[in-house]
Amino acid sequence: MKKPVTGNQERRETRRSPRLLPPRPSSTAMSPEDAIVKKQARERKDALVRGVASIQEMREAIKRASRNLPAISAVPRMGMLDAAVFRMHAAKGLPFVITGLVGKWPLSALTPQTLRDRFGELHVRARVGDYVNTAFAPDRAMQDMSLLAYLELVANDTQDLPPYLGNLELRELNALCHWPAYFNKMGPPRFWLGPSGTVTPLHCDYDDNIFAQVWGSKRILLSPPHHDEFLYPREANAILFGSPFNPEAPDFEKFPLARQAAMIECLMQPGELLYVPAGWYHQVRALTFSLSANRWARALPLALNGDASLKAG
């Protein structure tokens, strides 16, 4: 007689045979004309969401405003801020760290073991292979698995570039976060989980960003928006630009202009929140096993101080 399946056995079967996530969008080639039409449609949508007439004009305004910023050698830290005071500081267009906020989140009190026990069955998509040099490629290598399978994979991984869970919308984890209402309109939270050595290469987003360091520590290198002229930017889309320059291993023979780019180091510790103004380039490396989360604003960047000339009519 066949023995009945117990609850524990069912969970083990689920871990061995995870339900796959939907496949990534097809990278089927399209004609140059169709690619232009698709790009223009996305830019119109991006502009509508942010309430501006033109994303390109918004980008240029961010870079113009950046030229008037004072040079900084360190990112300042300050205590908890209410929304009005946050916006006052953010309007200056410089990054800063807020302490005493993220550490109060229920998520900060969890341990990696609790993550395995409570959320091990979550389905995730890991960045694998050389995800740094293919960071903005539509067909970069990804692998679907359970969160438990990922944690077991990286526990035994010895690669210089370990697999990384990046930019994932994990609603179960977000239920344990208490995001401040610093932006009137925000995109969904995104989570970043991985061991020491995981990297997000140098890039900029043309949206304001708050980045919460929940566990572990990370090193973030920042460069102001107008220094893109030294960073050989490559457009991924209208609000995301990558750079092939690696500030942690600079190749000035290949990228000579990068000598002129300022790089400000910010070491993020558990419980800290970093404000990254729109257009600031940043590269992020985990120094320890790390859990982070972020949210992007979906509005005119605060450093532009409500510039009416940029707003949609």
Side-chain angles (χ1 to χ4, degrees), residues 126-189:
R127 302 176 179 188
V128 295
D130 184 5
Y131 54 82
V132 170
N133 289 317
T134 60
F136 307 109
D139 58 349
R140 66 180 174 186
M142 309 285 275
Q143 186 175 343
D144 295 333
M145 62 187 75
S146 69
L147 178 56
L148 179 59
Y150 171 76
L151 293 171
E152 292 177 346
L153 174 65
V154 296
N156 300 313
D157 191 86
T158 58
Q159 299 178 66
D160 290 337
L161 187 63
Y164 192 19
L165 299 187
N167 204 14
L168 299 185
E169 188 178 346
L170 300 176
R171 296 178 182 179
E172 294 83 354
L173 298 188
N174 189 54
L176 302 173
C177 301
H178 300 314
W179 292 95
Y182 288 155
F183 305 134
N184 290 331
K185 188 177 180 182
M186 288 192 287

Side-chain angles (χ1 to χ4, degrees), residues 192-210:
W192 310 76
L193 178 71
S196 172
T198 50
V199 178
T200 301
L202 192 64
H203 69 285
C204 80
D205 311 283
Y206 281 96
D207 283 319
D208 286 337
N209 181 13
I210 48 176

Side-chain angles (χ1 to χ4, degrees), residues 20-188:
L20 294 181
L21 293 177
R24 285 175 287 126
S26 171
S27 57
T28 302
M30 63 177 68
S31 70
E33 294 79 11
D34 288 343
I36 291 172
V37 169
K38 183 177 180 180
K39 182 177 185 292
Q40 291 174 339
R42 173 163 182 169
E43 289 188 20
R44 286 194 296 271
K45 180 179 179 182
D46 287 339
L48 181 64
V49 167
R50 290 155 184 82
V52 297
S54 165
I55 292 293
Q56 180 177 349
E57 290 177 7
M58 184 185 79
R59 291 197 312 259
E60 294 305 317
I62 289 169
K63 287 186 277 189
R64 284 196 303 272
S66 173
R67 294 182 185 280
N68 297 319
L69 294 176
I72 60 172
S73 58
V75 177
R77 281 173 161 77
M78 52 194 74
M80 292 177 63
L81 307 176
D82 64 25
V85 176
F86 171 88
R87 291 169 189 164
M88 179 189 71
H89 284 287
K92 300 174 184 178
L94 294 169
F96 55 89
V97 172
I98 299 170
T99 62
L101 191 155
V102 176
K104 298 179 182 295
W105 292 0
L107 185 60
S108 294
L110 264 60
T111 65
Q113 185 59 48
T114 308
L115 195 69
R116 295 168 68 96
D117 295 342
R118 287 181 56 182
F119 301 103
E121 306 299 340
L122 290 181
H123 293 89
V124 297
R125 178 163 286 164
R127 302 176 179 188
V128 295
D130 184 5
Y131 54 82
V132 170
N133 289 317
T134 60
F136 307 109
D139 58 349
R140 66 180 174 186
M142 309 285 275
Q143 186 175 343
D144 295 333
M145 62 187 75
S146 69
L147 178 56
L148 179 59
Y150 171 76
L151 293 171
E152 292 177 346
L153 174 65
V154 296
N156 300 313
D157 191 86
T158 58
Q159 299 178 66
D160 290 337
L161 187 63
Y164 192 19
L165 299 187
N167 204 14
L168 299 185
E169 188 178 346
L170 300 176
R171 296 178 182 179
E172 294 83 354
L173 298 188
N174 189 54
L176 302 173
C177 301
H178 300 314
W179 292 95
Y182 288 155
F183 305 134
N184 290 331
K185 188 177 180 182
M186 288 192 287

Side-chain angles (χ1 to χ4, degrees), residues 254-299:
K254 189 174 183 180
F255 304 109
L257 294 177
R259 292 182 184 276
Q260 302 175 66
M263 287 290 163
I264 302 111
E265 182 182 71
C266 180
L267 297 177
M268 293 293 294
Q269 302 299 334
E272 295 184 331
L273 184 81
L274 172 66
Y275 168 61
V276 182
W280 276 72
Y281 279 81
H282 49 290
Q283 179 156 308
V284 185
R285 176 180 292 273
L287 303 178
T288 66
F289 186 83
S290 179
L291 173 63
S292 314
N294 82 292
R295 296 186 80 168
W296 286 284
R298 293 292 185 259

